[in-house]
Amino acid sequence: MSPLFRRKAPQDRIVTLIRKPGCHLCDDAQIVVEKVCGEVGVKWETRDITRDQQLHDQYWEQVPVVLVDGKQHTFWRVEEQRLRKALTE
């Protein structure tokens, strides 16, 4: 099968939650990311915009931001079904 049509295995994927302290939307997003990633076996990490000037400059108006394999998936609100679909299809 062509590499273009191969799905990445869950262990080869990464979800990044870009957030900031004291952000209730970020807390809500983290709950969804933890749940979905745990269920499908995908690694995830958090990044704090207050500790990274480049992330702050790029995303400060959009936090929380979710990246899937380094590409922006969503911001502000994370939909469980949409994230699951992005990680399994």
Side-chain angles (χ1 to χ4, degrees), residues 66-78:
V66 174
L67 308 178
V68 174
D69 299 327
K71 295 182 181 155
Q72 188 168 338
H73 170 72
T74 194
F75 63 97
W76 292 339
R77 301 222 183 258
V78 183

Side-chain angles (χ1 to χ4, degrees), residues 51-65:
R51 296 177 179 262
D52 185 318
Q53 189 63 46
Q54 182 180 356
L55 288 177
H56 179 273
D57 293 346
Q58 188 170 1
Y59 296 116
W60 72 273
E61 291 182 313
Q62 297 179 331
V63 293
V65 176

Side-chain angles (χ1 to χ4, degrees), residues 31-42 80 83-84 87:
I31 290 168
V32 174
V33 169
E34 283 179 356
K35 178 182 180 188
V36 173
C37 289
E39 290 173 358
V40 299
V42 172
E80 185 177 328
L83 180 58
R84 182 176 283 105
L87 296 174

